[in-house]
Amino acid sequence: MNFSNETDITKECEFSVLVPHKKTLSRPFSPIDIDGLSWPSIGTKQRLNESEEQKSERTKKLAEAVKTIVECIGEDPNREGLLKTPDRYAHALMFFSKGYEESIEHIINGAIFEEDHDEMVIVKNIDAFSLCEHHLVPFTGKISIGYIPNRRVLGISKLARIAEMFSRRLQVQERLTKQIAVTLQEILKPQGVAVVMEATSTITSVMLGVFREQAKTREEFLTLIKS
């Protein structure tokens, strides 16, 4: 991957990777792997490529696990109101985690255009629904995304779809915010990207390029998303 400002992006987006029986390593984020997926988890490709029969087996296995949970909390999974709950929840969880099966290449679908535009582009208050990876409980919020093009613009609807793709995974808010920003920096190579997520009690932000380097630009973005 060739970043437009490789030194800055590496410094901004460095994170740790735990490797069994080895020292902790450090490497930069890279949003697109060799198959076009975006930070795939260990089981992503298996889930993506499985047959309808295999998908049915996966959902059935998940439903059995939910039934066990219902039993363990002291309820009766055979009670009328709970009979179909494991199956319903299994299907719901597969939907809530569908972001693992999506890729940036599929979402963008060629909607990057050459335009003589170098002013700020902002989409604000994108609804976000995700699952906390520490407790498997939902967290929700609003995401605002801004970037300053470098002769390349993205179809406006794609910004919300990118936010949804990363939110429909097991997440922490800090990583979700950064993944959106770094992905846009990679695919558009703009002058800068800014992403802010406001959840119930937490606000996270990532500023790249001119948004990080220039206080006036950063302040303009923060003012506009509040207006």
Side-chain angles (χ1 to χ4, degrees):
M1 299 298 170
N2 294 317
F3 293 109
S4 57
N5 191 336
E6 188 170 344
T7 301
D8 289 345
I9 198 80
T10 301
K11 182 178 179 182
E12 168 63 16
C13 303
E14 198 171 63
F15 72 115
S16 294
V17 182
L18 296 179
V19 180
H21 310 301
K22 294 183 179 180
K23 293 181 179 179
T24 299
L25 304 179
S26 184
R27 64 176 175 85
F29 271 123
S30 182
I32 304 173
D33 80 349
I34 193 170
D35 293 319
L37 296 169
S38 308
W39 288 296
S41 67
I42 191 169
T44 293
K45 293 176 185 177
Q46 179 183 352
R47 176 173 165 178
L48 184 61
N49 296 324
E50 63 190 6
S51 66
E52 288 301 318
E53 183 180 352
Q54 290 171 323
K55 287 181 180 180
S56 179
E57 277 299 311
R58 178 185 293 270
T59 305
K60 182 179 178 181
K61 182 178 179 181
L62 184 53
E64 287 297 321
V66 175
K67 183 177 179 181
T68 299
I69 292 173
V70 172
E71 290 177 334
C72 287
I73 64 173
E75 258 291 0
D76 177 10
N78 295 314
R79 181 164 62 81
E80 183 180 9
L82 292 173
L83 276 175
K84 295 184 179 180
T85 297
D87 188 59
R88 291 192 192 102
Y89 188 79
H91 282 91
L93 193 57
M94 293 300 288
F95 174 76
F96 294 153
S97 62
K98 71 185 182 73
Y100 287 117
E101 299 182 24
E102 297 177 322
S103 74
I104 285 296
E105 292 181 352
H106 175 74
I107 286 175
I108 298 305
N109 195 28
I112 297 177
F113 310 101
E114 296 289 332
E115 290 290 342
D116 185 19
H117 183 82
D118 60 0
E119 298 295 332
M120 205 175 295
V121 177
I122 297 175
V123 176
K124 64 180 185 178
N125 295 329
I126 300 168
D127 290 322
F129 176 96
S130 193
L131 290 173
C132 168
E133 67 178 36
H134 299 141
H135 303 93
L136 294 184
V137 296
F139 68 93
T140 61
K142 301 282 187 179
I143 297 175
S144 294
I145 302 171
Y147 71 96
I148 299 179
N150 187 13
R151 304 189 68 87
R152 287 157 59 89
V153 298
L154 181 65
I156 292 296
S157 66
K158 305 299 184 181
L159 296 174
R161 289 195 61 194
I162 290 171
E164 183 188 30
M165 181 188 75
F166 286 121
S167 67
R168 294 294 185 184
R169 301 178 178 191
L170 302 185
Q171 280 285 13
V172 294
Q173 186 174 329
E174 297 87 343
R175 184 172 66 236
L176 170 57
T177 309
K178 182 166 286 187
Q179 286 181 332
I180 295 167
V182 175
T183 298
L184 288 170
Q185 183 75 20
E186 169 71 10
I187 63 178
L188 289 177
K189 296 181 171 54
Q191 298 178 55
V193 176
V195 179
V196 173
M197 180 172 181
E198 299 186 48
T200 304
S201 60
T202 306
I203 299 175
T204 51
S205 69
V206 174
M207 306 287 169
L208 303 177
V210 293
F211 290 98
R212 184 177 180 84
E213 298 161 1
Q214 300 177 12
K216 185 177 180 181
T217 303
R218 182 167 61 251
E219 289 167 7
E220 179 184 356
F221 169 74
L222 293 174
T223 299
L224 287 171
I225 65 174
K226 293 294 185 183
S227 62

